[in-house]
Amino acid sequence: MPATGERGGGDGAAPAQWHRVLTLLAVVSLFIGTRSVWTEASVHRLALAAVISGCYAAILATGVLALTVRRTRSLARVDLLVLLTALTLTGCAWALAHAGGDEAALTTQAARQLAAGRPVYGQPWPWLFHGRSIALTPTMSGGYDYTYGYPPLAPLLTAPLLWTGHGGTPATAMATLALGVGAVLLWRMLPVPWRSAATAVCLGFGFLPSYARQGYPAVPALALLVPVVVGWPRIGRGGRLGRAGIARAVCLGAACAAQQLPWFVTPFLLAGLYAVRRGESGGRVATRMLLRFVGLAAGTWLLIDAYIVVREPGSWLREVALPLTQDAIPHGQGLVGASLYFTGGGDRIAWYGHAGILLALALVALSVLFARSLGPAATVLPWCAFYLATRSQDGYYLLMTPLWLAAAVSAPTSEFAEAWQPRPRWLRHRGALAGAAALLVLPALTGSALAVTGRPPLRMTVTAAPETGARTLTGLTVRVTNTGDTPLTPHYMFARGQIMSRYWPQRHGPTTIPAHTTATVTLRPPDGRLPLPRARLRLRAFTPTPQTLSTVVVRTDELERLR
């Protein structure tokens, strides 16, 4: 609420105190990570260091102005200055670190393939990762994902920027530009008092700019979703899409052609949109409007993909679905951490993925059943399913958080007050509704319970580390017992905390261990030697069929005693 003596009103009125606080929070968010950027620039790029020092001055000045200006119009100008400062800092950070990671390397190579008229999908590029400290995505089968597994819009946007540099630089430039555009769009589309919140969420705290500098294709997808989500319950009001509705449908289709994360939020937006329009105009009008919207979005998606679909339809379909089918190893901060860190593994790892899909389906159904209550959370609900999934990384949540802000500001609960909710006779009792909700989430909870309670099928004991030098490990001998009823083909790697290394090649011993038997295997580090940290290591064994994980904790001092 406004403080005493301050009124929220026209441009000439005094700004509300909460508006001042939001601006100040946005200013504070720009401090995060700025010192490390300045420190590096002061050594390598003095001109950039001078620019960053100017940004520090702007941060201090806007902090003072946020608390002292007397008119809403003046504070709006301060908000604009905060945005420009954030954009400048984002550009400086990219100028200093723009090589990118695995996403950038793959996206840039896909862009080069497109520019040269060569195939994009189904082409492994392992040489992109040789001799470079770029993260790999290991799979349960003991290999790595070396192919481009995203829709083609990101490479199409990267192709005009191939001149910007080598390695993943073009992809990081594209993603950073897309983030800037998305931040400006969100800033411009939100009401004036909320604009600094857009600056903080998109460009502050160092979160999203770091993902952009890694070249994530999800960043342009986020930018395209911004105009879709701002005020999304008003799409098709009165049964007519109009120019704004058509533009939003095109943006949604383009976002789905950039990366797979928009695929998960789309069903929630469509379900909520249908519920709102049906409550307003009836089922027939709502259905016609929704079909036009979906048709425009799908047409845009297919139009962007058309060139690839015609040239390489089979490989396009396989690779676009790859993040859902690649069987990457478990990783992340969600429920899968129970098997990764607490129970030593499990023999039902695939059930994490099944539980995530089941929860996603249940949440879509619940958002229809309780549209008036859950509609405002349509941009947050999809990511709840990732908490149960095999890959439950924080990036899946962070990358779409600007959409949470957009919905919170522009899609309040009042927009859903008259939304249609299916209420057949057997569901009109409160107890029946609660029972239906419980039944919808029960399969996901059951799948999660199956995954968490699985037992690691391999029992491993390190018996020798004969080539351990001075704080360096060059070999390992492990006794492995298969306690299960199925022959298993394990693939081994060391992990320190949540950091996964590459798989360790096996020098001696059987590759497949029959049920209820014990074998001795000798492993070697992928680079020939492993520097030993002063910390506990986890030796993990993954098997693809069935998908299992077994872990043994190995202390550094224990390895030294085995020399």
Side-chain angles (χ1 to χ4, degrees), residues 19 23 75-83 187 192 195-196 199:
H19 184 182
T23 302
L75 189 54
R77 291 170 181 164
V78 175
D79 291 334
L80 177 59
L81 182 56
V82 174
L83 174 66
W187 189 94
V192 171
R195 287 176 173 175
S196 279
T199 302

Side-chain angles (χ1 to χ4, degrees), residues 167-511:
T169 297
T172 64
M174 178 276 299
T176 301
L177 286 171
L179 179 62
V181 171
V184 172
L185 275 175
L186 184 56
W187 189 94
R188 183 66 182 85
M189 296 181 74
L190 290 183
V192 171
W194 294 101
R195 287 176 173 175
S196 279
T199 302
V201 171
C202 291
L203 303 175
F205 305 113
F207 291 147
L208 295 187
S210 67
Y211 281 101
R213 292 194 300 275
Q214 291 294 311
Y216 274 59
V219 176
L222 165 67
L224 287 163
L225 284 174
V226 165
V228 179
V229 170
V230 175
W232 69 269
R234 296 187 288 277
I235 296 174
R237 180 168 286 177
R240 295 178 56 84
L241 285 177
R243 292 182 180 178
I246 292 172
R248 291 173 188 231
V250 169
C251 286
L252 179 60
C256 291
Q259 211 256 3
Q260 289 88 346
L261 285 181
W263 299 3
F264 292 90
V265 73
T266 296
F268 291 87
L269 295 177
L270 296 180
L273 191 57
Y274 177 78
V276 172
R277 293 286 79 83
R278 178 165 177 171
E280 173 195 64
S281 306
R284 183 174 299 179
V285 173
T287 301
R288 284 201 303 264
M289 183 280 302
L290 192 67
L291 288 176
R292 288 197 297 271
F293 186 82
V294 172
L296 286 167
T300 302
W301 184 5
L302 293 175
L303 181 63
I304 293 171
D305 287 43
Y307 174 74
I308 301 292
V309 172
V310 171
R311 288 198 58 185
E312 37 186 317
S315 56
W316 166 81
L317 185 60
R318 285 191 301 272
E319 296 298 323
V320 167
L322 189 63
L324 308 177
T325 62
Q326 68 186 167
D327 293 331
I329 64 171
H331 183 59
Q333 296 81 21
L335 189 65
V336 72
S339 294
L340 282 171
Y341 305 111
F342 296 103
T343 66
D347 54 357
R348 296 190 286 261
I349 295 298
W351 273 101
Y352 284 109
H354 302 335
I357 293 172
L358 290 170
L359 182 59
L361 295 173
L363 290 174
V364 172
L366 287 172
S367 68
V368 173
L369 197 60
F370 302 99
R372 297 176 186 176
S373 302
L374 296 179
T379 56
V380 182
L381 283 172
W383 320 120
C384 297
F386 283 92
Y387 188 80
L388 304 186
T390 308
R391 302 287 285 184
S392 180
Q393 301 175 82
D394 53 5
Y396 298 141
Y397 317 122
L398 285 175
L399 281 164
M400 295 295 152
T401 46
L403 304 182
W404 302 9
L405 171 68
V409 174
S410 64
T413 56
S414 58
E415 294 281 357
F416 301 87
E418 301 299 325
W420 170 77
Q421 298 182 139
R423 288 293 183 271
R425 180 173 300 176
W426 59 275
L427 268 182
R428 291 176 186 172
H429 190 272
R430 181 174 298 179
L433 269 176
L439 286 175
L440 285 171
V441 299
L442 182 60
L445 297 178
T446 302
S448 296
L450 287 171
V452 170
T453 57
R455 301 180 62 184
L458 299 178
R459 187 169 62 246
M460 297 182 289
T461 304
V462 177
T463 59
E467 301 178 41
T468 300
R471 307 297 302 170
T472 301
L473 183 66
T474 56
L476 203 67
T477 302
V478 185
R479 186 172 64 246
V480 185
T481 300
N482 182 355
T483 63
D485 299 324
T486 305
L488 297 175
T489 304
H491 305 280
Y492 307 91
M493 73 164 59
F494 261 118
R496 188 181 67 208
Q498 59 89 30
I499 300 174
M500 300 284 190
S501 67
R502 287 183 291 162
Y503 281 111
W504 284 41
Q506 186 171 324
R507 289 195 292 188
H508 302 291
T511 56

